[in-house]
Amino acid sequence: MQLDSWPNLVAMFFDQARRGDDRPFLWAKREGDWRSTTWAEAAGQVVDLARALRAYGVAPGDRVLLVAENSPEWAIADFAIMAAGAVTVPAYTTNTAADHIHLLTDSGAVAAIVTTAPLAGPLLAAARDAPDLERVITRDTPEEAAPEDVAVTPWHDALRAGSGNDDDITGEAAAIGRDSLACLIYTSGTGGLPKGVMLSHRAMMANCVSAYHVLLELGLDDEVFLSFLPLSHSYEHSAGLMFPVSVGAQIYYAEGIDRLASNMVEVQPTIMTAVPRLYEVMRLRILDGVRRAGGLKAKLFGAAVRIGRKRYEQPASLSLGERLIDALVDKLVRDKVRGRFGGRLKAMVSGGAPLNYEVGVFFTALGLRLLQGYGQTEAAPVISCNIPSKIKLETVGPPLEGVEVRIAEDGEILVRGALLMDGYWNQPETTAETLVDGWLHTGDIGLLDEDGYIRITDRKKDIIVLSGGDNVSPQRIEGILCLEEEIEQAMVAGDKKKHLVGLIVPSQGFLDQWAKISGAKADMAALKDDPGVHKALGEAVTRANQGLSVIEQVKRFTLAEAPFTTDNEMMTPTMKNRRHKILAHYGDRIEALF
């Protein structure tokens, strides 16, 4: 593979751009229509922006903050920053001014690139407390004024300034060291201040090579990716940008999570990467649609799931009749489901958090290939992934090619290889605790099965220790609770207590159905004290408890007043519960349950 000979990510991009030339590369909706930026156009803008950054005083090794929605500008800015020899510092679009202050001051960023005016507001507010920041390049005109010592330059003015410069950006790309720092990704985390993870060109290219070998048996050709997870997260940064570039794929930028379903039909992606929470939501929506349809459609759908599950779990036990029905529902049911995902998906990849087995087997039964993987930002980020020819949904697959994994005496998963970070920015002590003798201490508990596949049991830090000394996995329990159609989100608590309690967010489908029956408004705040709602959700919790051991069962619960979201800071951008934030808001109500 060519990847093995490219010296760095920038050289990889320019080489693929030469190959792609006038073919479409980056797609975005503009005024209601999908419009593309070709490989040649993207490469030209990368060169011009890199030249401009140099002209503005950005030196090799300097950090540049990038604040943008998933868009062609995000990809172009990222490669331009690296092409100038600098280091990209991605920032979430949900960041407040205080969040930006932490990133700017901790990284010492000398410049920032921002797209929309709403995103520029918090950034420019933070600029007043960021002494190293000298210039902001913005695509849209910001409404807020910048500090006097910070120059604000429009995106197109920067490109024009760069086009008048004759620096040989493409020629110099090969000189960027493979071990040079490429990006500084701040982990959002589920608690505490974000830490800057130092990822080199080497680490991310190792991930690209490994991913190539995993997916090669699917037949990598003219691939189409639909990008919708935040590019500021290492998962999407590597799997949704760097890997597609490495195989010369087209990248479409989704209009948002709310338009994802329609975008999939329009774009027809061939590979899709997402977090478990999104698959959970899609499963609930599919089930809700089936329930509403009822009748023969519901019966055929049930048969497709039941027989599809048996085909995965006990293929040798399928009777002739079941095989005939399986072929029938494949045409009548599974083809329609595949069509809702665009109809061309070779594989869906799940990462970022543990995937509940029931969710995985649901999509597998419906004829969609789902590969669960595992990783961490500190590993650039993918460590393992199921391979298409041997999928074991209860695992996160074997270590990727070039990755070593061993299990420590206390059950912690340790990782070694070229994919590892160089450490945490400005945190040598924390780095020394995490990288020991070349091994990354992941903080995850797991084991290797007979095939060398990794099974994750929990995060060391997230394990709840009951007063009796029993250890329980909150993520596993929350995943089982969310399999019930009435439950959209859940968080369990009980550290140092006799038993577990839960905080429940009802699904919108359940609320709509209850409102229709009761005549009440389908609103969480209005129904959170309704005895009938509590009774129905109690029955759902009881059903979930049947699949849990005695110590894992949720004894009591209360209802949240609103969903967990990134806006209320109760969920990370990759859709994981931010436990410390949830407990800070609902702590008194949760404590009252014990």
Coordinates of all heavy atoms in Angstrom, one line a residue, residues 8-10 46 49-66 76-90 107-113 137 169 172-173 175-185 198-201 204 237 242 425:
N8 N 4.5 11.5 5.5 CA 3.6 12.2 6.5 C 2.2 12.4 5.9 O 2.0 12.1 4.7 CB 4.2 13.5 6.9 CG 4.5 14.4 5.7 OD1 3.6 14.8 5.0 ND2 5.8 14.7 5.5
L9 N 1.3 12.9 6.7 CA -0.1 13.1 6.3 C -0.2 14.2 5.1 O -1.0 14.0 4.3 CB -0.9 13.6 7.5 CG -1.1 12.5 8.6 CD1 -1.6 13.2 9.8 CD2 -1.9 11.3 8.1
V10 N 0.6 15.2 5.2 CA 0.6 16.2 4.2 C 1.0 15.7 2.8 O 0.3 15.9 1.8 CB 1.4 17.4 4.6 CG1 1.4 18.5 3.5 CG2 1.0 18.0 5.9
V46 N -5.4 24.6 0.1 CA -4.4 24.2 1.1 C -3.1 24.9 1.0 O -2.5 25.4 1.9 CB -4.2 22.6 1.2 CG1 -3.0 22.2 2.0 CG2 -5.5 21.9 1.7
L49 N -3.6 28.7 1.8 CA -3.8 29.0 3.2 C -2.5 28.7 4.0 O -2.2 29.5 4.9 CB -4.9 28.1 3.7 CG -5.4 28.4 5.2 CD1 -5.7 29.9 5.3 CD2 -6.6 27.6 5.5
A50 N -1.8 27.7 3.6 CA -0.5 27.4 4.3 C 0.5 28.6 4.0 O 1.2 29.0 5.0 CB 0.1 26.1 3.8
R51 N 0.6 29.1 2.8 CA 1.4 30.2 2.5 C 1.0 31.4 3.4 O 1.9 32.1 3.9 CB 1.4 30.5 1.0 CG 2.1 29.5 0.1 CD 1.8 29.8 -1.3 NE 2.6 29.0 -2.2 CZ 2.4 28.9 -3.5 NH1 1.4 29.6 -4.1 NH2 3.2 28.2 -4.3
A52 N -0.3 31.6 3.5 CA -0.8 32.8 4.2 C -0.4 32.6 5.7 O 0.1 33.6 6.3 CB -2.3 32.9 4.1
L53 N -0.5 31.5 6.3 CA -0.2 31.3 7.7 C 1.3 31.6 7.9 O 1.7 32.2 8.9 CB -0.5 29.8 8.1 CG -1.9 29.5 8.2 CD1 -2.1 27.9 8.4 CD2 -2.6 30.2 9.4
R54 N 2.1 31.1 7.0 CA 3.6 31.5 7.1 C 3.8 33.0 7.0 O 4.6 33.5 7.8 CB 4.4 30.8 6.0 CG 4.5 29.3 6.2 CD 5.4 28.7 5.1 NE 5.7 27.3 5.3 CZ 6.5 26.6 4.5 NH1 7.1 27.2 3.5 NH2 6.8 25.3 4.8
A55 N 3.1 33.6 6.1 CA 3.3 35.1 5.9 C 2.8 35.8 7.2 O 3.4 36.9 7.5 CB 2.5 35.5 4.7
Y56 N 1.9 35.3 7.9 CA 1.3 35.9 9.1 C 2.2 35.5 10.3 O 1.9 35.9 11.4 CB -0.1 35.4 9.4 CG -1.1 35.9 8.3 CD1 -2.2 35.1 8.0 CD2 -0.9 37.0 7.6 CE1 -3.1 35.4 7.0 CE2 -1.8 37.4 6.6 CZ -2.9 36.6 6.3 OH -3.8 37.0 5.3
G57 N 3.3 34.8 10.1 CA 4.2 34.6 11.2 C 4.1 33.3 11.9 O 4.8 33.0 12.9
V58 N 3.2 32.4 11.4 CA 3.1 31.0 12.0 C 4.3 30.2 11.6 O 4.6 30.0 10.4 CB 1.8 30.3 11.5 CG1 1.8 28.9 12.1 CG2 0.6 31.1 12.0
A59 N 5.1 29.8 12.6 CA 6.3 29.1 12.4 C 6.1 27.6 12.6 O 5.1 27.1 13.3 CB 7.4 29.6 13.4
P60 N 7.1 26.7 12.1 CA 7.0 25.3 12.4 C 6.9 25.0 13.9 O 7.6 25.5 14.7 CB 8.3 24.7 11.8 CG 8.6 25.7 10.7 CD 8.2 27.1 11.2
G61 N 5.9 24.1 14.2 CA 5.7 23.8 15.6 C 4.7 24.6 16.3 O 4.2 24.3 17.4
D62 N 4.3 25.8 15.8 CA 3.3 26.6 16.4 C 2.0 25.9 16.4 O 1.7 25.1 15.5 CB 3.2 28.0 15.7 CG 4.3 29.0 16.0 OD1 5.0 28.7 17.0 OD2 4.5 30.0 15.3
R63 N 1.1 26.3 17.3 CA -0.2 25.7 17.4 C -1.2 26.6 16.8 O -1.2 27.9 17.1 CB -0.6 25.3 18.8 CG 0.0 24.0 19.3 CD 1.5 24.0 19.6 NE 1.7 25.0 20.7 CZ 2.9 25.6 20.8 NH1 3.9 25.3 20.0 NH2 3.1 26.4 21.8
V64 N -2.2 26.1 16.1 CA -3.3 26.9 15.5 C -4.6 26.2 15.8 O -4.8 25.1 15.5 CB -3.1 26.9 13.9 CG1 -4.3 27.7 13.3 CG2 -1.8 27.5 13.5
L65 N -5.5 27.0 16.5 CA -6.8 26.5 16.9 C -7.7 26.5 15.7 O -7.7 27.4 14.9 CB -7.4 27.4 18.0 CG -8.6 26.9 18.7 CD1 -8.1 25.8 19.8 CD2 -9.3 28.0 19.5
L66 N -8.5 25.4 15.6 CA -9.4 25.2 14.5 C -10.8 25.1 15.0 O -11.1 24.1 15.7 CB -9.0 24.0 13.6 CG -10.0 23.7 12.4 CD1 -10.3 24.9 11.5 CD2 -9.4 22.5 11.6
I76 N -9.6 21.5 4.7 CA -8.6 22.3 4.0 C -7.8 23.0 5.1 O -6.5 23.1 5.0 CB -9.4 23.3 3.1 CG1 -9.9 22.6 1.9 CG2 -8.4 24.5 2.7 CD1 -11.0 23.4 1.1
A77 N -8.4 23.6 6.1 CA -7.6 24.2 7.2 C -6.7 23.3 7.9 O -5.5 23.6 8.2 CB -8.6 24.9 8.2
D78 N -7.2 22.1 8.2 CA -6.3 21.1 8.9 C -5.1 20.8 8.1 O -4.0 20.9 8.6 CB -7.2 19.8 9.1 CG -6.5 18.9 10.1 OD1 -5.6 19.3 10.8 OD2 -6.9 17.7 10.0
F79 N -5.2 20.5 6.8 CA -4.0 20.1 6.0 C -3.2 21.4 5.8 O -1.9 21.3 5.7 CB -4.5 19.5 4.7 CG -4.8 18.1 4.8 CD1 -6.2 17.6 4.8 CD2 -3.8 17.1 5.1 CE1 -6.5 16.3 4.9 CE2 -4.2 15.7 5.2 CZ -5.5 15.4 5.1
A80 N -3.8 22.6 5.7 CA -3.0 23.8 5.5 C -2.1 24.1 6.7 O -1.0 24.5 6.6 CB -3.9 25.0 5.2
I81 N -2.7 23.9 7.9 CA -1.9 24.1 9.1 C -0.7 23.2 9.2 O 0.4 23.6 9.4 CB -2.8 23.9 10.4 CG1 -3.9 25.0 10.4 CG2 -2.0 23.9 11.6 CD1 -5.0 24.7 11.4
M82 N -1.0 21.9 8.9 CA 0.1 20.9 8.9 C 1.1 21.2 7.8 O 2.4 21.1 8.0 CB -0.4 19.5 8.8 CG -1.2 19.1 10.0 SD -1.6 17.3 9.9 CE -2.8 17.3 8.5
A83 N 0.6 21.6 6.6 CA 1.5 21.9 5.5 C 2.5 23.1 5.8 O 3.6 23.2 5.3 CB 0.7 22.2 4.2
A84 N 2.0 24.0 6.6 CA 2.8 25.2 7.1 C 3.8 24.7 8.1 O 4.6 25.6 8.6 CB 1.9 26.3 7.6
G85 N 3.7 23.5 8.5 CA 4.7 23.0 9.6 C 4.1 23.2 11.0 O 4.8 22.8 11.9
A86 N 2.9 23.7 11.1 CA 2.3 23.9 12.4 C 1.5 22.7 12.9 O 1.5 21.7 12.3 CB 1.5 25.2 12.3
V87 N 0.8 22.9 14.0 CA 0.1 21.9 14.7 C -1.4 22.3 14.8 O -1.6 23.3 15.4 CB 0.7 21.6 16.1 CG1 -0.1 20.5 16.8 CG2 2.2 21.2 16.0
T88 N -2.3 21.4 14.4 CA -3.7 21.7 14.5 C -4.2 21.4 15.9 O -3.9 20.4 16.5 CB -4.5 20.9 13.5 OG1 -4.0 21.1 12.2 CG2 -6.0 21.2 13.6
V89 N -5.0 22.4 16.4 CA -5.6 22.2 17.7 C -7.1 22.3 17.5 O -7.7 23.3 17.5 CB -5.2 23.2 18.8 CG1 -5.8 22.9 20.1 CG2 -3.7 23.3 18.9
P90 N -7.8 21.1 17.3 CA -9.2 21.1 17.0 C -10.0 21.5 18.2 O -9.7 21.1 19.4 CB -9.5 19.7 16.6 CG -8.2 19.1 16.2 CD -7.2 19.8 17.1
S107 N -2.4 25.4 25.1 CA -1.6 25.1 23.9 C -0.7 26.2 23.5 O 0.3 25.9 22.8 CB -2.6 24.8 22.8 OG -3.3 25.9 22.3
G108 N -1.0 27.4 23.9 CA -0.2 28.6 23.5 C -0.4 28.9 22.0 O 0.5 29.3 21.3
A109 N -1.6 28.6 21.5 CA -1.9 28.8 20.1 C -1.6 30.3 19.7 O -2.1 31.2 20.4 CB -3.3 28.5 19.8
V110 N -1.0 30.5 18.5 CA -0.7 31.8 18.1 C -1.7 32.3 17.0 O -1.7 33.5 16.7 CB 0.8 31.9 17.5 CG1 1.8 31.5 18.5 CG2 0.9 31.0 16.2
A111 N -2.5 31.4 16.5 CA -3.5 31.8 15.5 C -4.7 30.9 15.6 O -4.6 29.8 16.3 CB -2.9 31.6 14.1
A112 N -5.8 31.3 15.0 CA -7.0 30.5 15.1 C -7.7 30.6 13.7 O -7.7 31.7 13.1 CB -7.9 30.9 16.2
I113 N -8.4 29.6 13.3 CA -9.2 29.6 12.1 C -10.6 29.2 12.5 O -10.8 28.2 13.2 CB -8.7 28.6 11.0 CG1 -7.3 29.0 10.6 CG2 -9.7 28.6 9.8 CD1 -6.7 28.0 9.6
I137 N -8.4 33.9 11.5 CA -8.9 33.9 10.1 C -10.3 33.3 10.2 O -10.5 32.3 10.8 CB -8.0 32.9 9.3 CG1 -6.6 33.5 9.2 CG2 -8.6 32.8 7.9 CD1 -5.6 32.5 8.5
I169 N 5.1 24.9 -1.1 CA 4.5 24.1 0.0 C 4.4 22.6 -0.4 O 4.8 21.8 0.5 CB 3.0 24.6 0.2 CG1 3.1 26.1 0.7 CG2 2.3 23.7 1.2 CD1 3.7 26.3 2.0
E172 N 8.0 21.1 -0.2 CA 8.5 21.0 1.1 C 7.8 20.0 2.0 O 8.2 19.6 3.1 CB 8.5 22.4 1.8 CG 9.4 23.4 1.1 CD 9.2 24.8 1.7 OE1 8.6 24.9 2.8 OE2 9.6 25.7 1.1
A173 N 6.6 19.5 1.5 CA 5.8 18.6 2.4 C 6.6 17.3 2.8 O 6.5 16.8 3.9 CB 4.5 18.2 1.6
A175 N 9.5 17.0 3.6 CA 10.5 17.2 4.6 C 9.9 17.2 6.0 O 10.7 17.1 7.0 CB 11.2 18.5 4.4
I176 N 8.6 17.2 6.1 CA 8.0 17.1 7.5 C 8.3 15.7 8.0 O 8.0 14.7 7.4 CB 6.5 17.4 7.4 CG1 6.2 18.8 6.8 CG2 5.8 17.2 8.7 CD1 4.7 19.0 6.5
G177 N 8.8 15.7 9.2 CA 9.2 14.4 9.8 C 8.0 13.6 10.2 O 6.9 14.1 10.6
R178 N 8.1 12.3 10.0 CA 7.0 11.4 10.4 C 6.7 11.4 11.9 O 5.5 11.2 12.2 CB 7.4 9.9 10.0 CG 6.3 9.0 9.8 CD 6.8 7.6 9.4 NE 5.7 6.7 9.1 CZ 5.1 6.5 7.9 NH1 5.5 7.3 6.9 NH2 4.1 5.7 7.7
D179 N 7.7 11.7 12.7 CA 7.5 11.8 14.1 C 7.1 13.2 14.6 O 6.9 13.5 15.8 CB 8.7 11.4 14.9 CG 8.9 9.9 14.8 OD1 7.9 9.1 14.7 OD2 10.1 9.4 14.7
S180 N 7.0 14.2 13.6 CA 6.6 15.5 14.0 C 5.1 15.5 14.5 O 4.3 14.7 14.1 CB 6.6 16.4 12.7 OG 8.0 16.5 12.3
L181 N 4.9 16.5 15.4 CA 3.5 16.6 16.0 C 2.6 17.1 14.9 O 2.9 18.1 14.2 CB 3.6 17.6 17.1 CG 2.3 17.7 18.0 CD1 2.0 16.4 18.6 CD2 2.6 18.7 19.1
A182 N 1.5 16.4 14.7 CA 0.5 16.8 13.7 C -0.7 17.5 14.3 O -1.2 18.5 13.7 CB 0.0 15.6 12.9
C183 N -1.2 17.0 15.4 CA -2.3 17.7 16.0 C -2.3 17.5 17.5 O -1.6 16.6 18.0 CB -3.6 17.2 15.5 SG -4.0 15.4 15.8
L184 N -2.9 18.4 18.2 CA -3.1 18.4 19.6 C -4.5 18.3 19.9 O -5.2 19.3 19.9 CB -2.4 19.6 20.2 CG -2.2 19.8 21.7 CD1 -1.3 18.7 22.2 CD2 -1.6 21.1 22.0
I185 N -5.0 17.1 20.2 CA -6.5 16.9 20.4 C -6.8 16.9 21.9 O -6.2 16.0 22.6 CB -6.9 15.6 19.7 CG1 -6.8 15.8 18.2 CG2 -8.4 15.3 20.1 CD1 -7.4 14.7 17.4
M198 N -1.0 14.6 22.3 CA -0.1 14.9 21.2 C 0.0 13.7 20.3 O 0.5 12.6 20.6 CB 1.3 15.2 21.8 CG 1.4 16.4 22.7 SD 3.1 16.9 23.2 CE 3.5 15.5 24.3
L199 N -0.5 13.9 19.1 CA -0.5 12.9 18.1 C 0.4 13.3 16.9 O 0.2 14.4 16.3 CB -2.0 12.6 17.5 CG -2.9 12.1 18.6 CD1 -4.3 11.9 18.0 CD2 -2.5 10.7 19.1
S200 N 1.3 12.4 16.6 CA 2.2 12.6 15.5 C 1.6 12.2 14.1 O 0.6 11.5 14.1 CB 3.5 11.9 15.7 OG 3.3 10.5 15.7
H201 N 2.3 12.6 13.0 CA 2.0 12.0 11.7 C 2.1 10.5 11.7 O 1.2 9.8 11.2 CB 2.9 12.6 10.7 CG 2.7 14.1 10.4 ND1 1.9 14.5 9.3 CD2 3.1 15.2 11.0 CE1 1.9 15.9 9.4 NE2 2.6 16.3 10.4
M204 N -1.1 8.7 13.4 CA -2.4 8.7 12.6 C -2.2 7.9 11.3 O -3.1 7.2 10.8 CB -2.8 10.1 12.3 CG -3.4 10.8 13.5 SD -4.2 12.4 13.2 CE -2.8 13.4 13.0
H237 N -11.8 12.4 13.2 CA -10.6 13.0 12.6 C -9.8 11.9 11.8 O -9.4 12.2 10.7 CB -9.7 13.6 13.7 CG -8.6 14.5 13.2 ND1 -7.3 14.5 13.7 CD2 -8.6 15.4 12.1 CE1 -6.6 15.3 13.0 NE2 -7.3 15.9 12.1
M242 N -8.8 11.4 7.8 CA -7.5 10.9 7.3 C -7.6 9.6 6.6 O -6.9 9.4 5.5 CB -6.6 10.7 8.6 CG -6.2 12.0 9.2 SD -5.5 13.3 8.1 CE -5.6 14.8 9.1
W425 N 0.2 17.1 26.5 CA 0.8 18.4 26.4 C 1.0 19.1 27.8 O 0.1 19.2 28.5 CB 0.0 19.3 25.5 CG 0.5 20.7 25.2 CD1 0.2 21.9 25.8 CD2 1.5 21.0 24.2 NE1 0.9 22.9 25.3 CE2 1.7 22.4 24.3 CE3 2.3 20.3 23.3 CZ2 2.6 23.1 23.5 CZ3 3.2 20.9 22.5 CH2 3.4 22.3 22.6

